[in-house]
Amino acid sequence: MSYTIALDFEDGVTRFIKCSGSESVVDAAYRQGINIPMDCREGACAACKCRVESGTYGLGDYIEDALSADEAAQGYALACQMRPTSDCVVRIPAESSVCNTRQESYTANIREVRRLSDSTFSLVLQGEALRKLLFLPGQYANLQVPGDGAHHRAYSFSSMAPDSDTASFLIRNVPGGRMSGFLAERAQPGDPIALSGPFGSFYLRPIQRPVLMLAGGTGLAPFLAMLDKVAAAGGSPHPIHLIYGVNTDGDVVETERLEALARLIPNFSFAVCVVAEDSRHARKGYVMQHIEPAHLNDGEVDIYLCGPPPMVEAVARHLREIDVKSASFHYEKFAASAA
Ligand code: FES
């Protein structure tokens, strides 16, 4: 039996390896050209200690000095001893370059550019190479701006399907923006685009309690990929609620897709809120104004937050002010880059 192991490095690079249930993660990585830091290779020195974010595994043989019972209970393992019994995500406390690896690059072609609203484009890339582009739902890629030297922009994947030859993104229309200017004025189906990735530690962890997702603008994209993953897995064992905030009615996108996801995931619900006072939406104001006590479940909740920096900072401040101590809190800020 072979499992897929996502190695999540400190610099945000993620690499995927195959590991049989009978080999250690260190050995499997080495076989695939990735040198996870290690020393004794016998479970004695702790040089290879890592944290397993998701998946099941055997800890192997080791001494208590290398891995305490507390650490093991918190999800730490020794990569030289750990043997997976499912797909896993493993955080390696080292930069990818130290491990003799880096992000991978791909070339694909534009399949479709759609203007979803004045403020948002949908970009779909297609290419055989993308079948090899594995990522965790919520992660992002760097897309090179065609015809613009080495400039690239970071965008979260906005969909997720196994063995797909496509990759989708939501792209904010930034006045003077290099990528949005290209999409608005020059992009044609078939144009090649280079991309690299995946990157980022903002990805969906195993759902062990209710989940609250807070999205601002095109910060909706990673949640769409996460929800695709949940739907493909047959649903969620716990409620998931998404609050999606934008500035004006014209900025609201992908609600039909959210409705379709709500039909596929029975305990998923979502609410849209709009800052503009003249909005026709029932919920006006900012995302944090629409967080209800039930969504916070007395702190027994995993919170994911993605949006532009002022929105992320305001929501994080609000959660501190109302003294929410959630079981986990994950956030991603994205800043639009103009030319
Ligand atoms: Fe020494 Fe793994 S390399 S414990």
Side-chain angles (χ1 to χ4, degrees), residues 15-326:
R15 291 292 312 274
F16 290 79
I17 59 167
K18 289 290 179 192
C19 183
S20 78
S22 59
E23 67 183 335
S24 73
V25 169
V26 155
D27 287 345
Y30 185 72
R31 182 167 55 75
Q32 289 157 85
I34 300 174
N35 303 338
I36 293 175
M38 63 156 185
D39 191 354
C40 70
R41 217 157 153 235
E42 292 180 348
C45 72
C48 64
K49 193 182 294 178
C50 56
R51 187 182 168 100
V52 187
E53 291 277 346
S54 70
T56 56
Y57 53 93
L59 285 167
D61 297 325
Y62 59 90
I63 63 170
E64 173 95 17
D65 280 355
L67 185 73
S68 70
D70 272 359
E71 289 174 315
Q74 288 169 33
Y76 287 91
L78 301 171
C80 74
Q81 299 299 307
M82 168 189 172
R83 282 163 174 75
T85 54
S86 77
D87 294 347
C88 292
V89 178
V90 180
R91 297 197 78 167
I92 305 295
E95 302 221 338
S96 57
S97 57
V98 171
C99 303
N100 193 33
T101 189
R102 57 197 171 100
Q103 80 277 6
E104 298 214 62
S105 297
Y106 307 83
T107 299
N109 301 90
I110 293 178
R111 190 174 92 176
E112 180 187 73
V113 179
R114 258 191 317 142
R115 194 185 273 262
L116 300 181
S117 71
D118 284 349
S119 58
T120 308
F121 292 99
S122 159
L123 170 65
V124 181
L125 304 181
Q126 187 167 32
E128 270 308 300
L130 296 181
R131 291 191 195 281
K132 296 198 181 113
L133 172 53
L134 303 180
F135 61 91
L136 301 170
Q139 289 193 303
Y140 67 91
N142 281 335
L143 273 60
Q144 198 168 334
V145 184
D148 201 356
H151 287 104
H152 64 259
R153 294 288 181 263
Y155 300 106
S156 301
F157 296 95
S158 63
S159 66
M160 187 163 196
D163 192 32
S164 173
D165 68 346
T166 63
S168 306
F169 306 90
L170 293 183
I171 295 185
R172 190 173 153 214
N173 187 11
V174 180
R178 290 182 188 275
M179 182 61 87
S180 49
F182 164 74
L183 295 179
E185 296 158 17
R186 307 191 301 280
Q188 296 293 330
D191 283 353
I193 289 193
L195 64 161
S196 60
F199 297 99
S201 55
F202 185 74
Y203 52 79
L204 185 65
R205 272 57 176 186
I207 299 176
Q208 297 168 331
R209 55 185 69 81
V211 172
L212 178 60
M213 298 175 165
L214 305 170
T218 50
L220 177 65
F223 296 115
L224 293 171
M226 291 181 189
L227 292 164
D228 276 353
K229 172 83 175 181
V230 173
S236 166
H238 298 280
I240 301 174
H241 186 67
L242 165 72
I243 306 176
Y244 164 42
V246 294
N247 287 328
T248 69
D249 287 357
D251 295 328
V252 179
V253 299
E254 298 285 34
T255 49
E256 284 179 12
R257 197 159 150 212
L258 290 171
E259 283 159 9
L261 285 162
R263 287 192 291 276
L264 289 170
I265 309 169
N267 49 4
F268 165 62
S269 55
F270 71 95
V272 177
C273 61
V274 179
V275 174
E277 287 182 4
D278 61 354
S279 168
R280 64 175 185 279
H281 282 264
R283 293 178 185 80
K284 297 185 180 56
Y286 294 94
V287 162
M288 62 259 203
Q289 293 169 263
H290 300 281
I291 300 174
E292 297 170 12
H295 302 146
L296 299 172
N297 196 34
D298 288 331
E300 188 58 17
V301 61
D302 292 323
I303 299 178
Y304 293 81
L305 166 62
C306 183
M311 175 260 185
V312 169
E313 284 152 20
V315 174
R317 191 165 53 244
H318 172 75
L319 293 173
R320 279 197 303 275
E321 283 168 3
I322 61 172
D323 201 23
V324 172
K325 293 186 178 63
S326 56

